Amino acid sequence: MTIMLKEKAFLLLILLSFIWGYNWVVMKQGIGYMPPLYFAFFRVFFGAIFIFGFMAFKRMSLKPQYIFYAFVLGILQSVGFIGLTVLALEFAKAGKTAILVYSMPFWLTLFSFMFLSQKPDRKEMVSNILAFTGLMFVLEPWKLDIYNLKSLVGDILAIASGI
């Protein structure tokens, strides 16, 4: 019996989820062998080599059309997202860091309201209230230990990465 295309896509999505999920474990272990920003550098560097190699193989232009935007987005992605993520992993648990980093949709809704005047509808409001509540349960501000700020630093870096 052959697997239908939708079933195959669903199975591949599950596999991808496991790979992405386990990637956080690999990153946490990786920063145990080198400083976090070195790890971030090598992650971006080898990713860029792969992408440029693939583009050259496909005979695609390596020159970006909009250099300024490519630069700004590159800095935000490599320094803002990847750099802050690996720094957060230095101070916090991998699972908690992953959840806080991927709080992006929550922040996107908030920023689109603030900067684009896009008023959220009722479903978005309810889901964001629930997301914020969940974020508070993950952060556990009622357990804040002022004598052990290491975890708090990791939480702040992870949230900044998501923003």
Side-chain angles (χ1 to χ4, degrees), residues 18-162:
F18 279 110
I19 291 170
W20 277 347
Y22 192 70
N23 183 49
W24 289 90
V25 174
V26 172
M27 288 192 299
K28 183 72 173 178
Q29 290 177 335
I31 63 171
Y33 292 100
M34 67 177 68
L37 294 179
Y38 281 22
F39 184 82
F41 168 79
F42 286 116
R43 185 176 167 200
V44 172
F45 179 75
F46 288 117
I49 287 177
F50 176 78
I51 291 294
F52 287 144
F54 180 78
M55 290 174 69
F57 175 75
K58 297 289 264 178
R59 304 209 188 292
M60 297 169 71
S61 173
L62 297 177
K63 182 183 177 199
Q65 279 186 303
Y66 305 101
I67 294 174
F68 174 75
Y69 294 119
F71 176 78
V72 170
L73 290 173
I75 292 296
L76 287 173
Q77 177 67 20
S78 60
V79 176
F81 179 69
I82 295 173
L84 290 174
T85 295
V86 296
L87 283 174
L89 281 169
E90 175 77 11
F91 299 106
K93 297 176 182 176
K96 186 176 185 181
T97 301
I99 291 169
L100 294 175
V101 166
Y102 284 107
S103 63
M104 291 176 235
F106 171 76
W107 302 110
L108 175 62
T109 304
L110 180 66
F111 292 145
S112 65
F113 173 70
M114 290 170 49
F115 300 116
L116 302 175
S117 300
Q118 294 179 347
K119 188 175 179 188
D121 61 22
R122 181 170 290 193
K123 286 189 286 186
E124 290 172 325
M125 289 295 291
V126 169
S127 63
N128 278 299
I129 289 168
L130 290 172
F132 183 76
T133 304
L135 197 58
M136 289 301 106
F137 278 110
V138 169
L139 289 171
E140 299 176 318
W142 54 88
K143 288 187 178 179
L144 183 62
D145 181 6
I146 60 171
Y147 300 106
N148 181 15
L149 296 179
K150 187 176 175 185
S151 180
L152 177 63
V153 169
D155 294 350
I156 291 170
L157 290 168
I159 291 170
S161 177

